[in-house]
Amino acid sequence: MSSRRTVSLITLGCARNEVDSEELAARLEAAGWRLSDDDPDVIVVNTCGFIDSAKKESIDTLLAAADSGAKVVAAGCLAERYGKELAEALPEATVISFDDYAEIGDRLDDVLAGRPLRPHTPRDRRRLLPITPVDRSAARARIPGHGARADEPLPEGVAPASGPRTLRKRLTGGPVAPIKLASGCDRRCAFCAIPAFRGAYVSRPPEDLIAEARWLAEQGVKEIVLVSENSTSYGKDLGDLRALERLLPKLAATEGIERVRVNYLQPAELRPSLIEMLTSTPGVAPYFDLSFQHASGPLLRRMRRFGDARRFLDLLERIRERAPEAGIRSNFIVGFPGETEEDFAELKGFLEEARLDVIGVFGYSDEEGTEAYGFPDKLDQDTIDERVAELSALADELMAQRAEERIGTELEILIEEDLGDGGYEGRAAHQGPEVDGTVTVQGGSGLRPGQIVQAVAVGSEGVDLVARVKAGT
């Protein structure tokens, strides 16, 4: 076996996967592996398995990694969801489960030595945890991104001997980093397979999150983004339905942290006290990443979802009454089984009224193991593609209009990159990382990444803004 023992980590998909990869990186270093993209012995691909396009990207990445000559390991959601089936279809890669993460160093030793690993048979991970949420804290299921379990021996040099543990190594720089607030989901949306392979909902203890925020601040992070499958459920398994409201001020008060952002909010669970906290707490971004999915009431009920256009518009009005400048984004599924022309027209009408900052549009695709997989009334692919194109064009127009509305407003911008020639790129409080627009900042000098500046929006280009630093900043 090679004495180098070098490994490269490739992360696909969402910010939740990014956190999982950084936990894997910490465990690998503790096990004596060296992280390097330069001719590694093993390439670990942390895959995404959410929708067809993500699955294809994951497969293509695994095949490209195999072409490098390195040993290849498939981890993450695609690997967990398909297990043995993926291993049989893709003999170029060794497939591992979430249950292998705690011993990832040993597993890679096996791969490098040519010792065969038996791929797992996929199972519904919701069954690994008690049905009653408050009984889950004592369960022993492996949950990626949650660090070491209380009964798990600590990797040497990674975490303190007692107290909250930060089992993580940053793989990217920059002043922004995600923190996994919780994992899993208890909802039963008809189109979504995530709960089956990510498991039931489990919140991380507040003290762990606060310790991780402090650790990230020591790494130079200025903005933390709380991620999960459903952030509005945080605390229900801890016996405190308002745990998020209690947590946010503590995170915002962390020395070195300038901004806290919350992603993945369920409209059905967005209680008034949480709206108030998100719109009035210093250091917490007035930002609402709302999972609407559609606007037709009958279709939403078929999706096993809450709401309709009128309820959603009322919710947006309540948010903007408290914070007119709040950033609001959402994703929408087009072509769900049974979607009529009237349903589609209602969705378009809703978007024209909603004034959302960012609109994500996805065409429906069948996902094995979901309720919708067996639904009748499937739309043909040409119809789905036509509706996606039509709604995407409308969304682009509406997002550009919303950006124009912000011209003349004051922005609090986190500088992320020096573009040279006196220009900088950053994000305002209403813009989430990666998925939303950015701000090109002009008129400053000597600004640095991680600095927050006050500026005025002076122009827009699509969803992006141009701003000029206020005098005296």
Side-chain angles (χ1 to χ4, degrees):
M1 182 172 64
S2 168
S3 60
R4 292 188 304 149
R5 296 174 76 235
T6 57
V7 57
S8 173
L9 274 167
I10 299 175
T11 305
L12 304 176
C14 63
R16 302 186 293 272
N17 260 14
E18 180 182 331
V19 177
D20 295 351
S21 286
E22 293 192 348
E23 179 183 307
L24 287 175
R27 291 184 181 278
L28 284 166
E29 277 206 341
W33 283 79
R34 181 169 63 87
L35 290 145
S36 174
D37 295 328
D38 185 15
D39 191 25
D41 296 304
V42 179
I43 299 174
V44 177
V45 180
N46 189 354
T47 61
C48 180
F50 180 40
I51 57 177
D52 282 345
S53 58
K55 296 176 196 174
K56 183 179 184 305
E57 182 186 13
S58 294
I59 295 294
D60 289 345
T61 303
L62 287 164
L63 290 172
D67 287 343
S68 72
K71 303 281 190 179
V72 178
V73 172
C77 293
L78 188 73
E80 185 63 41
R81 184 175 179 182
Y82 293 103
K84 184 179 179 181
E85 181 183 346
L86 178 63
E88 291 172 350
L90 198 72
E92 294 88 345
T94 298
V95 176
I96 65 172
S97 167
F98 293 151
D99 295 326
D100 293 310
Y101 281 22
E103 293 82 32
I104 186 65
D106 292 340
R107 297 292 76 76
L108 294 201
D109 283 341
D110 292 334
V111 169
L112 198 55
R115 293 187 287 268
L117 299 179
R118 179 178 296 178
H120 64 283
T121 299
R123 53 181 171 170
D124 189 334
R125 293 189 72 86
R126 290 171 292 192
R127 298 178 181 175
L128 301 179
L129 294 165
I131 294 176
T132 304
V134 294
D135 292 337
R136 293 173 188 164
S137 60
R140 297 176 58 83
R142 298 288 186 185
I143 304 176
H146 283 222
R149 294 189 322 202
D151 61 347
E152 181 183 332
L154 292 169
E156 185 177 351
V158 171
S162 62
R165 312 165 179 207
T166 299
L167 186 54
R168 182 170 178 179
K169 174 183 174 61
R170 291 204 76 195
L171 295 174
T172 57
V176 183
I179 291 182
K180 186 171 280 193
L181 182 71
S183 289
C185 187
D186 289 340
R187 302 185 71 86
R188 294 295 182 267
C189 301
F191 53 82
C192 185
I194 289 175
F197 59 84
R198 276 290 184 178
Y201 195 87
V202 179
S203 304
R204 293 182 64 194
E207 57 270 21
D208 287 5
L209 296 165
I210 293 168
E212 191 162 328
R214 290 174 181 153
W215 180 83
L216 287 168
E218 292 170 357
Q219 310 296 310
V221 170
K222 298 300 180 182
E223 177 180 322
I224 56 175
V225 183
L226 302 180
V227 299
S228 69
E229 277 75 25
N230 174 10
S231 296
T232 35
S233 280
Y234 179 73
K236 71 176 186 178
D237 52 323
L238 303 176
D240 184 2
L241 290 175
R242 296 195 174 183
L244 186 56
E245 288 98 307
R246 304 182 206 285
L247 173 67
L248 286 173
K250 296 176 182 177
L251 291 175
T254 303
E255 185 176 356
I257 298 298
E258 302 286 347
R259 182 187 287 164
V260 178
R261 186 182 303 277
V262 186
N263 279 7
Y264 308 111
L265 303 170
Q266 287 288 343
E269 300 176 28
L270 194 56
R271 49 201 174 271
S273 59
L274 183 53
I275 294 175
E276 180 64 27
M277 182 63 66
L278 290 169
T279 55
S280 64
T281 307
V284 175
Y287 178 78
F288 293 80
D289 176 16
L290 297 168
S291 178
F292 287 139
Q293 304 299 350
H294 211 278
S296 163
L299 195 71
L300 282 163
R301 287 189 288 276
R302 186 174 173 86
M303 290 178 169
R304 306 292 182 240
R305 301 281 301 177
F306 155 91
D308 54 39
R310 177 45 49 197
R311 292 183 187 182
F312 293 161
L313 289 171
D314 288 345
L315 173 59
L316 297 178
E317 183 178 358
R318 291 198 300 274
I319 291 170
R320 287 173 174 143
E321 283 176 353
R322 292 168 174 79
E325 79 286 0
I328 305 175
R329 78 175 322 274
S330 190
N331 295 323
F332 298 88
I333 297 174
V334 176
F336 188 79
E339 183 187 58
T340 64
E341 289 284 359
E342 291 75 17
D343 294 328
F344 186 58
E346 186 167 7
L347 174 55
K348 290 188 292 183
F350 166 73
L351 291 180
E352 288 170 348
E353 288 191 67
R355 297 171 52 241
L356 302 178
D357 290 281
V358 178
I359 301 164
V361 179
F362 297 89
Y364 171 80
S365 63
D366 269 335
E367 295 298 324
E368 305 96 324
T370 66
E371 184 182 4
Y373 189 78
F375 279 180
D377 306 325
K378 298 281 177 66
L379 277 66
D380 63 81
Q381 193 60 50
D382 286 345
T383 299
I384 294 175
D385 292 344
E386 288 171 5
R387 292 184 181 179
V388 167
E390 182 178 349
L391 198 69
S392 296
L394 176 62
D396 288 344
E397 179 183 344
L398 294 172
M399 289 187 291
Q401 290 175 6
R402 179 61 181 140
E404 288 178 4
E405 292 177 7
R406 292 190 179 272
I407 295 175
T409 63
E410 294 191 6
L411 306 174
E412 189 176 73
I413 302 169
L414 175 67
I415 301 298
E416 294 188 320
E417 184 179 355
D418 185 344
L419 302 175
D421 297 326
Y424 303 85
E425 184 174 89
R427 286 179 302 101
H430 72 275
Q431 298 169 316
E434 305 296 337
V435 293
D436 297 349
T438 61
V439 183
T440 298
V441 181
Q442 302 173 341
S445 67
L447 302 181
R448 62 188 184 281
Q451 184 177 354
I452 288 186
V453 299
Q454 303 299 318
V456 175
V458 296
S460 66
E461 183 176 346
V463 73
D464 299 321
L465 293 172
V466 178
R468 184 165 294 279
V469 175
K470 293 181 67 176
T473 298

